[in-house]
């Protein structure tokens, strides 16, 4: 115990001051000032974010932070979204819940992304945390409606249940009925990922009707259009609403009922859902469109002219998710109508078609970059691109912070000059000085990585596919990108040299993913030996890597820093490169 | 260095290859604990040998939501009468094993997947050369590309999907089926709606599982999948056949009924 200096504040005062510091980065900085601040801070930290569940163990977390109320964890690597991470890889939440059940009886919030959540875990949550309030499961899997029933039945103070994009096993539609009649505290419910029969509509109606604080409600596809009005009339205070299917036979009474219900929702700011849209029903939402700031039409397979009509009604739009049916013409309309637009995501309607099925080109994106001065975040799938378009975009929008471009055919060059797109992406990183996230595509040589290493000083996440010529490319990125935290690479000819030369860099990052590259097993072993604070995991479905020559490239490689040491829940196709001996650790 | 026996054993499954590769220099004391997985596979090989010539039928692809594969084949009455005890060794039900063995109709995967292959070269086999940018790419399905999440993959095909289950009822028109190959250490998910013919499906499966078939397909050439006698030739000569379990729980050979 350090002797208190005369001029230091009592702990309680410091604690009070720290309570105003919410951001993790600031909290971490505070804890490093001195030992006593470390101690005070750790006792009053209430919220923790763990970007890689294997970077730390539950015990370590609990030992340092005894009074946590809110936990956020991420599991699988991002490329798991695209089937690159085989099933059974890991990311299990149960061990965490088990430990937290004992250590954090007052835990209120659990937010998970890409983790495997079982019904057992959900039941344990329901049983262990008396004041449980928030459960967000993004891109998770492994549980069923039984687990949800347990949560509904036991969590009397639940405010938020958000299953965004998770995979849920359909067992029974009646889990919603497990919310007791006395339960009224629901604020946010997102069940849009649930399958056809998984929701009992009458239970939903009753639930909505008795929860006056409900602000977010996102229905699943099974909820028919003619039920929307019923729901909205019970919850006119909604701020975010996701429809179910938005298709039905056109009937004037249904339409006017729907339009009336929408118009009574004065607080509505965000709309989503819109599966199976019948365009004739879209005008029913026009009355709320002027206030709408977020619109997710990424399931709406409607044509450009209908999209244009809708978008032109939404001058306050800040966030738009849409299919490429919007076409260049729609994006031009967007650029003229929606001057507050900050985020645009254009998804492909036919990702595997050999030929483009819609007229969406680089021009659409250029138009938006020109017309929308606040545009910061872009995700754009298209079939063609030019360097000059990218240079234009970069010059128009130096305020871009996230730029993810996916040219659907791998290695496609500038379609006019047939050159690689190095210069175009180079312009992006050069002009957009605050760029934090970048995804590359098209034909790219080592040069683009030289640009990235030179200019992208704030870049935190980089996704690379089918690019580069040699290790020099990877070396540029690892040696130049000072803020890099996550790097994911697939199908590039990067090998051992750059990786080994920049081994120390890997400890400053959260993780590195490399699949279908040229990193040899020997290099992985070496890295595992030399860097004890890295977990070097080889994923190889051809069998044990040491059954092939050391020079043989591994299929997939996932490297992440960790204070918890190697994990022990690996499936048979994952091997950890141990730092002791040169032996493989078979799970 | 170990050599793999190249004798074309009948229905030689992946697992044999898997075993011959367990190297002798696993002498480290830390690794003496046998992996349960290998033990299971060993058992299966013995069972298979005992069955002699036989079509080892695995459980058909059940999809993620726990539903059985509903491919529209439920009404079929056509069945192959095959020798051997087809239910032996299927204790893996709990693991939801899918296809037991996959026919490589397309031949010549050997050159791609032998060890030491430059992954770029492997990759070139899948995609056309970048020097011909004007031509649209062949419809080769590279795993995970373009990077769209599963439920976005088939929005273009219009959604008369209300009658068919999709992987996530709340999204898209995918008809996902889990596919596993006997002995392969992991499952893959396949969206049946991405394919229009059996040949396309078999292409895709072959590519997905190509790392597990070791050069035994020889020079079979493309076989007529629907032709039963040729199919039997194929079964006798090649390694794997795709099967599925219909709603009655019967094992069916993929390809018996029209694709639709």
């Amino acid at each position: 115990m350090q002797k208190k200096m005369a001029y230091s504040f009592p702990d309680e005062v410091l604690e009070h001051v720290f309570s105003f510091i919410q951001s993790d980065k600031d909290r971490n900085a505070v804890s490093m000032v001195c030992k006593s601040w470390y101690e005070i801070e750790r006792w009053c930290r209430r919220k923790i974010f763990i970007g890689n569940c294997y970077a730390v163990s539950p015990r370590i977390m609990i030992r340092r932070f005894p009074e946590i109320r809110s936990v956020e964890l991420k599991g699988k690597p991002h490329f798991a979204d695209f089937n690159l991470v085989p099933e059974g890889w890991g990311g299990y939440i149960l061990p965490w819940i088990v430990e937290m059940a004992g250590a954090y009886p007052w835990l209120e919030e659990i937010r998970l992304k890409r983790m495997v959540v079982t019904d057992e875990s959900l039941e344990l949550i329901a049983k262990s945390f008396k004041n449980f309030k928030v459960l967000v499961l993004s891109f998770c899997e492994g549980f069923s409606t039984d687990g949800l029933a347990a949560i509904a039945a036991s969590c009397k103070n639940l405010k938020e249940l958000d299953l965004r994009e998770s995979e849920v096993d359909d067992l029974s539609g009646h889990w919603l009925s497990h919310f007791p009649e006395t339960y009224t505290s629901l604020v946010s419910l997102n069940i849009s990922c649930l399958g056809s029969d998984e929701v009992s509509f009458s239970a939903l109606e009753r639930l909505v009707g008795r929860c006056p604080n409900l602000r977010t409600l996102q229905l699943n596809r099974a909820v028919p259009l003619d039920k929307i009005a019923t729901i909205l009339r019970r919850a006119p205070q909604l701020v975010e609403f996701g429809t179910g299917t938005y298709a039905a036979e056109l009937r004037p009474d249904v339409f006017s009922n729907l339009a009336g219900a929408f118009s009574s929702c004065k607080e509505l700011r965000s709309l989503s859902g819109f599966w199976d849209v019948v365009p004739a029903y879209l005008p029913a939402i026009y009355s709320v469109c002027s206030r709408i700031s977020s619109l997710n039409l990424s399931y709406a397979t409607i044509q450009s002219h209908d999209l244009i009509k809708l978008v032109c009604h939404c001058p306050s739009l800040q966030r738009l998710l849409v299919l490429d049916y919007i076409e260049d013409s729609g994006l031009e309309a967007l650029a003229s109508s929606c001057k507050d637009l900050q985020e645009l995501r254009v998804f492909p309607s036919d990702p595997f078609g050999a030929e483009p099925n819609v007229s969406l080109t680089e021009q659409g994106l250029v138009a938006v970059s020109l017309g929308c001065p606040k545009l910061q975040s872009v995700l754009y799938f298209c079939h063609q691109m030019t360097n000059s378009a990218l240079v234009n975009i970069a010059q128009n929008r130096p305020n871009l912070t996230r730029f993810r471009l996916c040219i659907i055919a791998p290695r496609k060059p500038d379609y006019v000059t047939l050159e690689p797109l190095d210069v175009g992406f180079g312009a992006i990183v050069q002009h957009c000085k605050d760029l934090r996230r970048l995804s590359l595509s098209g034909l790219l040589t080592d040069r683009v990585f030289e640009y990235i290493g030179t200019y992208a000083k704030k870049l935190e996440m980089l996704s690379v596919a089918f690019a580069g010529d040699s290790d020099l490319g990877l070396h540029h990125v690892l040696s130049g990108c000072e803020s890099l935290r996550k790097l994911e690479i697939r199908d590039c000819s990067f090998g051992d040299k750059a990786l080994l030369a920049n081994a120390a860099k890997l400890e400053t990052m959260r993780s590195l993913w490399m699949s279908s590259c040229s990193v040899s097993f020997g290099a992985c072993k070496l890295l595992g030996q030399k860097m004890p604070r890295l977990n070097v995991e080889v994923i190889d479905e051809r069998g044990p890597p040491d059954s092939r020559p050391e020079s043989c490239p591994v299929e997939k490689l996932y490297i992440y820093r960790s204070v918890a040491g190697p994990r022990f829940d690996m499936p048979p196709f994952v091997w950890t490169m141990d730092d002791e001996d040169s032996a493989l650790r078979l799970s | 260095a170990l050599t793999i026996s190249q004798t074309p054993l009948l229905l030689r499954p992946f697992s044999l290859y898997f075993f011959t590769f367990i190297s002798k220099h696993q002498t480290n004391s830390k690794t003496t604990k046998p992996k349960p997985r290998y033990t299971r596979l060993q058992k299966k090989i013995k069972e298979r040998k005992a069955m002699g010539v036989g079509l080892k039928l695995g459980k058909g692809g059940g999809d993620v939501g726990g539903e059985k594969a509903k491919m529209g084949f439920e009404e079929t009455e056509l069945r192959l009468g095959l020798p051997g005890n087809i239910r032996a060794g299927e204790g893996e039900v709990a693991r939801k094993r899918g296809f037991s063995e996959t026919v490589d109709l397309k031949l010549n995967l050997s050159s791609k997947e032998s060890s030491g292959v430059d992954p770029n070269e492997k990759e070139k086999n899948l995609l056309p050369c970048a020097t011909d940018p004007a031509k649209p790419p062949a419809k080769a399905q590279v795993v995970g590309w373009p990077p769209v999440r599963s439920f976005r993959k088939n929005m273009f095909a219009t959604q008369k999907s209300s009658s068919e289950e999709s992987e996530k009822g709340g999204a898209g028109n995918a008809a996902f089926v889990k596919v596993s190959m006997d002995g392969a250490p992991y499952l893959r998910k396949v969206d049946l709606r991405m394919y229009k013919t059996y040949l396309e499906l078999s292409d895709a499966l072959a590519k997905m599982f190509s790392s597990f078939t070791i050069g035994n397909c020889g020079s079979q050439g493309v076989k007529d999948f629907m032709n039963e006698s040729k199919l039997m030739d194929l079964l006798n000569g090649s390694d794997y056949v795709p099967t599925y379990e219909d709603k009655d729980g019967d094992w069916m050979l993929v390809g018996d009924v029209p694709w639709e």
Side-chain angles (χ1 to χ4, degrees), chain A residues 108-169:
Chain A
E108 294 176 5
E109 304 181 355
I110 293 177
R111 294 180 170 83
L112 305 176
K113 189 167 186 180
R114 289 191 199 96
M115 294 202 72
V116 177
V117 181
T118 56
D119 285 345
E120 188 187 350
S121 312
L122 292 176
E123 282 151 20
L124 194 53
I125 291 172
K127 217 169 50 173
S128 315
F129 307 119
K130 299 299 169 210
N131 201 23
F132 196 66
K133 295 191 173 136
V134 171
L135 183 64
V136 177
L137 303 175
S138 312
F139 307 117
C140 294
E141 57 169 355
F143 61 102
S144 77
T145 46
D146 283 357
L148 298 178
I151 296 282
S154 309
C155 300
K156 313 220 176 324
N157 295 318
L158 192 72
K159 284 166 56 170
E160 197 173 322
L161 178 61
D162 184 343
L163 305 176
R164 56 182 84 156
E165 322 261 13
S166 293
E167 277 183 29
V168 185
D169 265 358

Side-chain angles (χ1 to χ4, degrees), chain B:
Chain B
L2 292 171
T3 55
I4 314 158
S5 161
Q6 286 292 338
T7 53
L9 269 184
L10 214 54
L11 288 180
R12 189 171 118 188
F14 161 76
S15 48
L16 275 182
Y17 160 71
F18 204 53
F19 269 99
T20 47
F21 267 3
I22 302 294
S23 81
K24 299 241 166 62
H25 53 263
Q26 291 281 15
T27 51
N28 187 300
S29 57
K30 285 187 185 174
T31 59
T32 46
K33 177 176 150 221
K35 279 159 68 104
R37 179 175 198 89
Y38 298 169
T39 322
R40 271 210 299 274
L41 290 173
Q42 181 97 56
K43 206 166 140 243
K44 284 175 81 64
I45 292 164
K46 287 194 187 137
E47 282 158 1
R48 213 168 280 137
K49 282 185 178 166
M51 281 168 11
V53 179
L55 178 63
K56 179 94 189 293
L57 297 177
K59 188 167 160 222
D63 71 347
V64 173
E67 309 154 287
K68 293 304 169 202
K70 290 202 167 127
M71 305 187 193
F73 307 143
E74 297 91 307
E75 320 310 318
T76 183
E77 291 167 7
L78 179 63
R79 286 196 217 160
L80 287 181
L82 293 159
N85 175 7
I86 63 176
R87 297 296 170 119
E90 282 312 307
E92 275 77 24
V93 167
R95 282 175 52 214
K96 287 192 180 177
R97 300 288 296 285
F99 299 170
S100 66
E101 295 150 271
T102 309
V103 159
D104 172 35
L105 289 186
K106 270 289 192 160
L107 63 139
N108 284 344
L109 294 175
S110 51
S111 54
K112 282 188 201 170
E113 302 307 325
S114 47
S115 57
V117 157
D118 179 344
N120 285 323
E121 194 187 327
K122 163 182 167 183
E123 202 278 309
K124 278 176 191 145
N125 282 329
L126 293 173
L127 295 169
C129 183
T131 56
D132 191 7
K135 234 188 250 173
K139 217 178 163 185
Q141 310 288 3
V142 180
V143 175
W145 192 266
V148 288
R149 299 200 68 231
S150 332
F151 51 82
R152 290 201 181 282
K153 276 180 180 163
N154 216 5
M155 313 234 28
F156 186 50
T158 36
Q159 41 280 52
K160 328 297 181 214
S161 62
S162 44
S163 54
E164 307 204 49
E165 274 81 18
S166 41
E167 178 189 45
K168 292 187 241 181
N173 317 303
F176 275 93
V177 172
K178 273 188 178 166
V179 179
S180 85
M181 189 166 92
D182 211 23
Y186 71 105
L187 306 177
R188 273 267 153 79
K189 285 186 212 170
V190 180
D191 176 6
L192 293 179
R193 276 181 239 243
M194 276 170 29
Y195 312 104
K196 300 197 187 62
T197 65
Y198 283 114
L199 201 55
E200 279 183 29
L201 174 62
S202 125
D203 266 4
L205 290 175
K207 288 193 173 93
M208 271 181 196
F209 290 97
S210 60
S211 49
F212 303 117
T213 63
I214 310 306
N216 292 323
C217 24
S219 52
Q220 296 289 333
V222 178
K223 297 292 187 180
D224 180 356
F225 200 11
M226 305 281 278
N227 181 320
E228 190 171 313
S229 65
K230 281 194 182 169
L231 182 57
M232 291 314 292
D233 289 345
L234 194 61
L235 292 177
N236 288 332
S238 176
D239 299 344
Y240 301 103
V241 284
T243 59
Y244 67 97
E245 182 180 20
D246 72 7
K247 68 163 192 224
D248 299 327
D250 296 315
W251 301 116
M252 312 298 295
L253 191 68
V254 171
D256 284 345
V257 293
W259 177 262
E260 300 77 38

Side-chain angles (χ1 to χ4, degrees), chain A residues 296-298 307 320-324 326 331 344-347:
Chain A
N296 183 351
L297 296 168
S298 61
L307 285 164
L320 177 65
L321 280 63
V322 72
L323 286 171
D324 57 8
I326 195 168
L331 291 176
L344 174 66
R345 297 192 186 206
V346 179
F347 294 97

Side-chain angles (χ1 to χ4, degrees), chain A residues 270-329:
Chain A
S270 164
L271 286 173
S272 59
F274 295 108
W275 285 288
D276 320 310
V277 175
V278 161
Y281 273 111
L282 282 174
I285 66 172
Y286 283 174
S287 60
V288 295
C289 279
S290 61
R291 293 184 292 269
I292 290 293
S293 59
S294 168
L295 193 52
N296 183 351
L297 296 168
S298 61
Y299 302 113
T301 51
I302 49 178
Q303 302 306 311
S304 178
H305 57 274
D306 292 311
L307 285 164
I308 291 174
K309 274 195 283 187
L310 182 52
V311 147
C312 289
H313 275 84
C314 304
S316 312
L317 202 60
Q318 293 174 16
R319 184 169 181 260
L320 177 65
L321 280 63
V322 72
L323 286 171
D324 57 8
Y325 288 127
I326 195 168
E327 298 193 328
D328 289 341
S329 53

Side-chain angles (χ1 to χ4, degrees), chain A residues 18 21 23-35 37-38 41 45 64-65:
Chain A
F18 294 169
I21 299 170
S23 110
D24 287 328
K25 280 179 76 177
D26 292 340
R27 279 262 169 180
N28 292 343
V30 159
S31 69
M32 305 237 284
V33 166
C34 62
K35 280 190 186 154
W37 279 36
Y38 177 93
E41 195 281 320
R45 181 145 0 174
R64 180 170 172 192
F65 298 116

Side-chain angles (χ1 to χ4, degrees), chain A residues 156-397:
Chain A
K156 313 220 176 324
N157 295 318
L158 192 72
K159 284 166 56 170
E160 197 173 322
L161 178 61
D162 184 343
L163 305 176
R164 56 182 84 156
E165 322 261 13
S166 293
E167 277 183 29
V168 185
D169 265 358
D170 167 4
L171 291 183
S172 148
H174 298 293
W175 67 273
L176 262 184
S177 318
H178 287 253
F179 281 111
E181 290 302 317
T182 48
Y183 168 75
T184 57
S185 39
L186 196 62
V187 172
S188 171
L189 181 66
N190 177 357
I191 50 174
S192 53
C193 62
L194 292 186
S196 316
D197 299 322
E198 283 166 21
V199 170
S200 147
F201 190 75
S202 55
L204 177 64
E205 262 186 274
R206 287 196 310 275
L207 179 64
V208 168
R210 66 179 185 269
C211 294
N213 299 321
L214 192 66
R215 289 170 28 124
T216 298
L217 178 64
Q218 284 153 330
L219 304 172
N220 64 323
R221 192 175 187 175
V223 177
L225 180 140
D226 56 7
K227 297 286 194 189
I228 294 177
T230 321
I231 288 280
L232 289 180
R233 290 200 198 280
R234 291 190 193 215
Q237 75 282 4
L238 281 177
V239 174
E240 287 180 53
F241 179 63
T243 73
T245 184
Y246 204 71
E249 204 186 303
L250 186 56
R251 281 172 38 199
D253 54 329
V254 173
F255 180 92
S256 59
N257 194 18
L258 188 60
F262 269 112
S263 65
S264 68
C265 295
K266 307 292 184 202
E267 311 297 324
L268 208 52
R269 296 289 177 271
S270 164
L271 286 173
S272 59
F274 295 108
W275 285 288
D276 320 310
V277 175
V278 161
Y281 273 111
L282 282 174
I285 66 172
Y286 283 174
S287 60
V288 295
C289 279
S290 61
R291 293 184 292 269
I292 290 293
S293 59
S294 168
L295 193 52
N296 183 351
L297 296 168
S298 61
Y299 302 113
T301 51
I302 49 178
Q303 302 306 311
S304 178
H305 57 274
D306 292 311
L307 285 164
I308 291 174
K309 274 195 283 187
L310 182 52
V311 147
C312 289
H313 275 84
C314 304
S316 312
L317 202 60
Q318 293 174 16
R319 184 169 181 260
L320 177 65
L321 280 63
V322 72
L323 286 171
D324 57 8
Y325 288 127
I326 195 168
E327 298 193 328
D328 289 341
S329 53
L331 291 176
E332 279 152 28
L334 181 70
S336 357
S337 313
C338 304
K339 295 303 185 185
D340 284 343
L341 194 72
Q342 294 175 19
E343 179 177 352
L344 174 66
R345 297 192 186 206
V346 179
F347 294 97
S349 52
D350 184 20
F352 301 109
E355 299 283 355
N357 57 320
V358 291
S359 173
L360 180 103
T361 70
E362 77 280 7
Q363 293 308 322
L365 187 56
V366 172
V368 177
S369 74
L370 194 53
C372 301
K374 301 188 188 167
L375 187 69
Q376 284 180 12
S377 171
V378 170
L379 169 62
Y380 198 76
F381 284 82
C382 62
H383 289 266
Q384 63 183 46
M385 188 52 59
T386 61
N387 281 311
S388 78
L390 284 171
V391 170
N392 260 351
I393 292 165
Q395 287 171 337
N396 291 339
R397 289 280 63 77

